[in-house]
């Protein structure tokens, strides 16, 4: 094999030939870039934020369920672990109670968020269906225009031949 | 008997299959011959990492370590605060921080972390007693931030690590059945700067121009929801290629995917040091890759190196050539092996340990 630079020169030459033959349309790379960028834009603009909300609600539900009012006894200070254990025993009844009340309140809030998320998803799905219908209708009409244009060209050819 | 000196390494996240984690663990094994040495991480993903690494919370406030070696590849506020509060002598191993411009538009939080990482390079400068970079490309960032003595050593990296890994016969059979005409593999986290969409475009163009019907397998953890969702949508537009997102894989699966591939393709726009194509070359897989960032100096003559601004059209032409021209294919495989041998023969771990020993006296 020759050097990479020679190989690249040959590959570039072939690409150029294919461009001239029309196998690679002009601006192909830019079109591909633009197509992906538009998808990225749509996804980030919020269509998938609805899915993201659902994911966050699931994560939050797990976190809320694990609330128990207890914290670790770990300490870097000598004797700290024993101190935290004793304090934990003294206030445990109160912290567990507060944790339970917080759990109930957060569960209700999550129920509300989930309800809103379902509504958003339903609306989004309806929007997508409508958009698909519109897109199909436009495609049908474009095909009709194409067919008519073909007929016009055919008629033109016939007219030119006769004249 | 005098107590052994202590040299510990610090990571933000430790996970299996992550290149930086692998390098840190390999370096730790070498360091333990001379020092007391552990790897500490803010996050340890999975039971194996919990066994291999210590939690950063478990490091005493005054560890008495003679040196902390911090692996810098991104910023994170909690780690930044922790580092600024430490008093031990500090060394950094710089693996490159991706420019935030790749992420600013669609993931500003991640872009902020990247900016913090870049800022950290400067803020730590006066405390750093030893600076090591994976590549000359990475060294330029440190030099630009005012570092005077930067050593270029890709420590703890072994391109042949997957060669001895047994392959999974069931996985290989399933890939053969799904891709009767073969597939091309790409390895790396599914992130925007890796330009996964360009991999798909390349394969789509190659198959539609040359009727190759060759598949594409992408091995790597999916880090960003929005980008991955966009790729899944885009997959239906690239109708001429069957794309398989393998996600995070074990070393055994990775060895199987790579070994079974007809070629390795890389289209990343930014790499501080690039290990996966070298691992592919070590397993006899020809590599076609865009020469961005540190890739040219990492891969050397071991791949068909495309220009840093190459698009999918040129890449498709190059890939088709490698898949159909037996002479070129064999030469690329031989060059890949040669490059791996060159890197393998340099004892990077020992060189790093020598530098560390000099610093801690």
């Amino acid at each position: 094999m020759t050097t990479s630079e020679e190989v690249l020169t040959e590959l570039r030459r072939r690409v150029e030939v294919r461009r001239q033959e029309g196998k690679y349309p002009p601006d192909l790379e830019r079109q591909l870039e633009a197509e992906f960028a538009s998808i990225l834009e749509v996804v980030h603009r919020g269509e998938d934020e609805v899915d993201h909300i659902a994911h966050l609600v699931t994560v939050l539900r797990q976190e809320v369920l694990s609330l128990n009012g207890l914290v670790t006894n770990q300490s870097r200070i000598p004797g700290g672990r024993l101190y935290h254990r004793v304090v934990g025993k003294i206030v445990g009844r109160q912290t567990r109670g507060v944790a339970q009340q917080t759990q109930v309140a957060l569960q209700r809030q999550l129920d509300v968020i989930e309800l809103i998320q379902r509504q958003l998803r339903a609306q989004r799905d309806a929007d997508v269906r409508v958009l698909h219908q519109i897109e199909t209708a436009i495609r049908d009409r474009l095909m009709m225009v194409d067919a008519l244009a073909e007929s016009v060209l055919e008629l033109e050819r016939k007219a030119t031949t006769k004249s | 008997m005098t107590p052994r000196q202590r040299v510990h390494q610090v990571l933000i996240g430790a996970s299996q299959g992550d290149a930086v984690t692998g390098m840190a663990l390999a370096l730790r094994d070498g360091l333990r011959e001379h020092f007391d040495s552990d790897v500490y991480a803010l996050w340890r993903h999975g039971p194996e990492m919990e066994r291999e690494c210590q939690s950063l919370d478990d490091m005493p406030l005054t560890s008495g370590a003679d040196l902390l070696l911090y692996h810098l590849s991104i910023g994170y506020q909690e780690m930044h605060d922790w580092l600024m509060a430490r008093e031990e002598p500090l060394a950094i191993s710089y693996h490159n921080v991706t420019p935030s411009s790749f992420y600013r538009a669609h993931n500003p939080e991640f872009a902020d972390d990247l900016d913090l990482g870049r800022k950290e390079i400067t803020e730590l400068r006066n405390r750093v007693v030893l600076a090591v970079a994976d590549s000359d490309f990475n060294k330029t960032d440190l030099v630009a931030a005012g570092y005077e003595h930067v050593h270029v050593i890709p420590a703890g990296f072994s391109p042949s690590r997957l060669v001895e890994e047994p392959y999974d016969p069931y996985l290989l059979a399933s890939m053969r059945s799904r891709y009767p005409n073969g597939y091309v593999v790409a390895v790396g986290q599914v992130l925007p700067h890796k330009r996964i969409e360009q991999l798909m475009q390349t394969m789509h163009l190659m198959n539609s121009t040359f009727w190759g019907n060759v598949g594409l397998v992408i091995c790597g953890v999916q880090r960003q929801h929005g980008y991955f969702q966009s790729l899944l949508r885009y997959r239906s537009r690239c109708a001429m290629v069957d794309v398989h997102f393998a996600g995070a894989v074990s070393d055994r699966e990775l060895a199987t995917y790579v070994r079974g591939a007809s070629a390795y393709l890389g289209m990343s726009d930014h790499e501080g040091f690039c290990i996966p194509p070298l691992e592919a070359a070590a397993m006899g897989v020809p590599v076609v890759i865009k020469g961005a960032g540190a890739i040219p100096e990492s891969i050397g003559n071991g791949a068909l190196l495309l220009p840093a601004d190459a698009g999918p059209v040129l890449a498709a032409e190059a890939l088709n050539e490698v898949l159909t021209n037996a002479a070129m294919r064999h030469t690329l495989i031989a060059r890949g092996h040669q490059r791996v041998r060159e890197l393998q023969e340099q004892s990077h771990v020992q060189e790093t340990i020598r530098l560390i020993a000099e610093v801690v006296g």
Side-chain angles (χ1 to χ4, degrees):
Chain A
M1 192 175 79
T2 48
T3 65
S4 287
E5 204 40 59
E6 286 171 35
V7 174
L8 282 176
T9 306
E10 170 58 18
L11 294 174
R12 284 195 186 99
R13 190 193 63 77
R14 286 189 212 166
V15 167
E16 202 44 52
V17 169
R18 281 186 229 287
R19 281 195 206 279
Q20 282 165 10
E21 286 172 352
K23 285 186 179 159
Y24 297 138
D27 256 1
L28 176 60
E29 273 117 331
R30 200 192 51 75
Q31 283 172 31
L32 291 168
E33 287 277 307
E35 191 180 13
F36 183 70
S38 70
I39 291 176
L40 203 60
E41 195 57 44
V42 167
V43 168
H44 281 284
R45 208 168 42 219
E47 204 175 329
D48 277 58
E49 291 296 316
V50 183
D51 294 333
H52 194 51
I53 292 171
H55 169 71
L56 289 178
V57 166
T58 311
V59 172
L60 269 173
R61 278 208 190 281
Q62 285 163 357
E63 285 176 3
V64 167
L65 281 176
S66 66
L67 282 176
N68 57 14
L70 299 173
V71 292
T72 174
N73 289 333
Q74 294 259 349
S75 172
R76 292 173 186 170
I77 301 161
R81 186 179 292 217
L82 180 68
Y83 170 79
H84 286 301
R85 253 177 78 183
V86 172
V87 172
K89 285 231 185 256
I90 294 169
V91 299
R93 185 189 163 97
Q94 282 75 18
T95 55
R96 274 197 299 276
V98 171
Q100 274 170 5
Q101 288 170 15
T102 312
Q103 231 172 13
V104 171
L106 287 174
Q107 294 279 14
R108 284 185 187 145
Q109 287 179 35
L110 283 170
D111 289 343
V112 173
I113 295 171
E114 203 164 75
L115 200 64
I116 295 168
Q117 182 256 328
R118 277 194 209 137
Q119 292 295 324
L120 286 171
R121 180 173 279 170
Q123 183 59 52
R124 182 190 72 179
D125 292 347
D127 289 348
V128 169
R129 278 197 301 276
V130 171
L131 277 173
H132 279 164
Q133 284 165 5
I134 294 169
E135 193 186 343
T136 311
I138 291 171
R139 278 179 197 279
D140 287 348
R141 278 156 185 76
L142 280 173
M143 280 169 69
M144 227 147 68
V145 171
D146 275 350
L148 287 170
E150 281 289 326
S151 307
V152 171
L153 286 172
E154 188 58 32
L155 284 170
E156 269 181 7
R157 264 197 299 275
K158 282 179 184 167
T160 316
T161 315
K162 278 186 182 172
S163 66
Chain B
M1 201 176 87
T2 50
R4 283 174 34 120
Q5 290 176 301
R6 278 169 279 189
V7 174
H8 298 311
Q9 296 177 79
V10 179
L11 303 171
I12 293 181
S15 52
Q16 205 177 1
D18 169 53
V20 174
T21 309
M23 289 165 103
L25 292 174
L27 185 57
R28 178 204 60 186
D29 293 344
L31 283 168
R32 279 183 175 172
E33 291 173 20
H34 309 272
F35 306 98
D36 279 346
S37 185
D38 271 311
V39 174
Y40 286 85
L42 190 60
W43 290 308
R44 295 170 298 162
H45 303 288
E48 185 164 349
M49 287 302 110
E50 284 177 9
R51 268 196 311 276
E52 289 285 352
C53 303
Q54 310 293 318
S55 166
L56 202 60
D57 291 336
D58 291 339
M59 187 183 279
L61 288 172
T62 48
S63 70
D66 297 281
L67 188 72
L68 291 181
L69 174 60
Y70 174 51
H71 291 267
L72 175 55
S73 57
I74 191 171
Y76 189 71
Q77 195 60 54
E78 194 178 339
M79 176 57 92
H80 181 77
D81 297 341
W82 185 91
L83 279 171
M84 299 315 274
R86 304 302 297 195
E87 289 179 351
E88 297 91 338
L90 196 64
I92 63 165
S93 178
Y94 181 59
H95 305 285
N96 203 283
V97 177
T98 305
S100 60
S101 53
F102 286 104
Y103 295 88
R104 183 56 63 197
H106 297 303
N107 197 338
E109 294 90 357
F110 190 67
D112 288 345
D113 285 345
L114 293 169
D115 281 342
L116 179 63
R118 293 249 160 197
K119 203 173 100 187
E120 207 164 57
I121 300 172
T122 310
E123 290 190 0
L124 294 176
R125 185 186 59 215
N126 293 332
R127 292 193 42 212
V128 168
V129 294
L130 172 66
V132 179
D134 296 324
S135 60
D136 282 318
F137 178 76
N138 290 353
K139 180 181 172 177
T140 55
D141 280 354
L142 296 183
V143 171
Y147 287 73
E148 286 180 358
H149 303 291
V150 181
H151 303 269
V152 177
I153 314 167
F157 145 70
S158 170
S160 301
R161 76 180 179 96
L162 293 175
V163 171
E164 298 297 318
E165 195 69 39
Y167 68 88
D168 180 340
Y170 299 106
L171 179 58
L172 198 61
S174 77
M175 297 314 285
R176 290 264 153 83
S177 152
R178 179 168 175 176
Y179 300 116
N181 292 332
Y183 63 89
V184 166
V185 73
V187 181
Q189 298 180 50
V190 179
L191 288 170
H193 74 273
K194 304 276 185 186
R195 303 304 302 271
I196 307 296
E197 73 279 11
Q198 279 201 350
L199 295 171
M200 294 159 75
Q201 291 162 356
T202 301
M203 296 304 297
H204 173 76
L205 284 178
M206 190 190 78
N207 284 338
S208 49
T209 308
F210 304 103
W211 298 103
N213 200 16
V214 177
L216 173 63
V217 174
I218 297 161
C219 300
V221 63
Q222 290 120 28
R223 294 269 182 222
Q224 296 195 355
H225 178 77
Y227 182 60
F228 184 56
Q229 289 303 314
S230 305
L231 290 171
L232 290 181
R233 287 182 183 206
Y234 194 50
R235 183 163 60 174
S236 60
R237 307 271 182 104
C238 296
M240 293 300 287
V241 57
D242 177 7
V243 185
H244 173 52
F245 287 100
V249 293
S250 66
D251 281 352
R252 190 179 185 198
E253 289 165 333
L254 181 60
T256 308
Y257 279 123
V258 175
R259 200 174 280 146
S262 307
Y264 179 99
L265 178 64
M267 294 298 283
S268 176
D269 270 352
H270 185 89
E271 294 293 336
F273 189 77
C274 200
I275 297 173
L278 288 161
E279 289 179 341
M283 286 192 279
V285 176
V287 176
V288 176
I289 194 162
K290 199 154 81 173
I295 289 171
E297 62 173 295
S298 310
I299 198 81
N301 202 24
L304 177 53
L305 203 61
L306 304 176
D309 61 353
V313 173
L314 185 63
E317 196 77 40
L319 194 59
N320 179 62
E321 184 68 8
V322 171
L323 293 180
T324 55
N325 180 338
M328 173 182 267
R329 188 178 170 74
H330 293 150
T331 313
L332 269 184
I333 291 170
R335 282 185 187 173
H337 279 306
Q338 174 62 30
R339 179 60 184 152
V340 168
R341 270 196 302 277
E342 286 165 14
L343 289 167
Q344 206 80 43
E345 281 162 12
Q346 300 160 15
S347 181
H348 298 123
V349 167
Q350 292 309 318
E351 177 61 9
T352 309
I353 293 170
R354 188 187 64 74
L355 289 171
I356 288 172
E358 273 179 24
V359 169
V360 299

